[in-house]
Amino acid sequence: MSGIFDNAITSIALGIEDFETGPDARMLSAARNYYAGLLLLAKECLIRAAPEADPMEVIGAKFKPIPDGEGGVDLEVVGYTTVDLTQLKSRFKDFGLPWPDADINKLQRFRNDLEHYHLKEPVSALGEAIASSFPMVVDFFNLLGEDPHDHLADVWDTLLAQRAAFEKVQKKCLASLEIVDWPAVVTDLDRMECPQCSSSLIGQADPDNADREDVIGKCYQCGEEIPFETMMQMVVNTSYEISAYIMAKEGLNPAITDCPECWSSTYVETGEASVCFTCGESVSGECARCSTDITVFEYNPDYPDLCSYCAHMSEKIMRE
């Protein structure tokens, strides 16, 4: 068993023990240790994937070319700095290792925020960060062929309890959003983040409301109420930002744009959906002149029944 693996176990255990003590003053130490432990586990996965290599050649962050005497170069590790989170993800891909589908960014952001200012509820916020990243612990141990309970027995119950508590609240949050009569398909609402504390525990202030126009959000981490307009932007961005990125990358019109009726940046145009989440208006239709489909990008409020080309031709005729 390597020193890095031992250090990973120690760091995670210390982080959870600090977290269990409760006082806010220990939360920064808890976040630092737990976060460091996760990164060390990831580095151990890389090292075991190349058992014959020098560990620093696997996890070193800086290299320099050295002539090999035969007209080529060898890469030599510079210093003892090891890879950060971004580099770890990249090397996992290079090594053909699956990166866990879990949220470590919340933990990283929590640690950084605590170093710069005092959070309103650091204990509960760190609890969510631990719960969100818990699947990463399990996945790393699976890659290593190790049983996490064997190595983290003293803190395993705490890890499980935080995950269970988080999932219980998250389930209620998502249930309150799923009953809403949305104007188009919504997805990945568990990835929304509170504008105040970045928590993903976002639901409705009234969990029984099904009317989109009455949606008021609430963060069940910090208690912040989220206005209707902000909630619509969050729902649209979470549900369609990937489509918007892919469409833009392919040179197509974006999936999210400004609504020509209310001017909110919550109009969704995907080919299957063409509607504004804020005001509920849809400008889609068929051109009365040429039968071309009218999208939000074709729409002209002065000629709502015509596509952009036919609207242009009508204006040209009128000018003549």
Side-chain angles (χ1 to χ4, degrees), residues 43-116:
K43 292 170 186 177
E44 180 70 8
C45 290
L46 290 174
I47 290 171
R48 293 196 190 183
E52 302 302 320
D54 183 326
M56 281 304 295
E57 292 181 351
V58 177
I59 62 173
K62 297 180 180 180
F63 297 86
K64 64 180 179 180
I66 302 294
D68 63 3
E70 299 178 358
V73 296
D74 291 323
L75 293 178
E76 184 177 286
V77 180
V78 179
Y80 296 96
T81 303
T82 57
V83 287
D84 60 17
L85 178 60
T86 301
Q87 292 170 312
L88 274 170
K89 292 179 179 179
S90 177
R91 292 207 185 167
F92 261 61
K93 183 177 180 181
D94 294 337
F95 276 52
L97 298 176
W99 185 261
D101 183 21
D103 184 5
I104 193 176
N105 295 322
K106 189 175 271 76
L107 177 64
Q108 182 188 47
R109 185 165 55 244
F110 175 89
R111 182 205 60 178
N112 293 342
D113 287 347
L114 266 182
E115 289 180 346
H116 292 94

Side-chain angles (χ1 to χ4, degrees), residues 19 110 122-132 162-163 166 221:
F19 171 76
F110 175 89
V123 177
S124 57
L126 179 55
E128 179 181 345
I130 290 172
S132 298
Q162 287 303 310
R163 182 64 181 176
F166 170 77
Q221 178 67 266

Side-chain angles (χ1 to χ4, degrees), residues 77-259:
V77 180
V78 179
Y80 296 96
T81 303
T82 57
V83 287
D84 60 17
L85 178 60
T86 301
Q87 292 170 312
L88 274 170
K89 292 179 179 179
S90 177
R91 292 207 185 167
F92 261 61
K93 183 177 180 181
D94 294 337
F95 276 52
L97 298 176
W99 185 261
D101 183 21
D103 184 5
I104 193 176
N105 295 322
K106 189 175 271 76
L107 177 64
Q108 182 188 47
R109 185 165 55 244
F110 175 89
R111 182 205 60 178
N112 293 342
D113 287 347
L114 266 182
E115 289 180 346
H116 292 94
Y117 63 88
H118 181 75
L119 297 180
K120 289 196 301 183
E121 299 180 39
V123 177
S124 57
L126 179 55
E128 179 181 345
I130 290 172
S132 298
S133 60
F134 175 73
M136 183 169 283
V137 175
V138 177
D139 287 348
F140 283 150
F141 271 96
N142 285 339
L143 280 175
L144 295 169
E146 305 276 358
D147 185 342
H149 182 269
D150 290 346
H151 298 282
L152 296 169
D154 292 341
V155 297
W156 190 244
D157 287 345
T158 300
L159 285 168
L160 291 179
Q162 287 303 310
R163 182 64 181 176
F166 170 77
E167 289 180 336
K168 182 178 180 179
V169 178
Q170 186 183 58
K171 184 177 180 180
K172 291 183 178 179
C173 289
L174 293 176
S176 75
L177 296 170
E178 288 170 356
I179 65 173
V180 175
D181 185 18
W182 301 108
V185 175
V186 296
T187 61
D188 299 324
L189 298 186
D190 59 330
R191 295 186 179 273
M192 291 195 297
E193 291 191 354
C194 171
Q196 181 69 25
C197 71
S198 299
S199 171
S200 63
L201 296 177
I202 307 298
Q204 285 199 81
D206 176 4
D208 298 320
N209 172 60
D211 190 339
R212 174 192 56 80
E213 296 181 353
D214 293 331
V215 169
I216 300 296
K218 180 179 179 179
C219 173
Y220 284 81
Q221 178 67 266
C222 69
E224 187 79 6
E225 281 208 348
I226 305 172
F228 169 77
E229 292 81 3
T230 303
M231 274 296 291
M232 294 306 104
Q233 290 175 354
M234 290 168 59
V235 169
V236 167
N237 289 340
T238 302
S239 299
Y240 292 96
E241 63 184 355
I242 294 178
S243 295
Y245 171 77
I246 293 174
M247 293 171 75
K249 189 176 181 180
E250 294 178 351
L252 303 174
N253 288 319
I256 304 172
T257 189
D258 294 340
C259 175

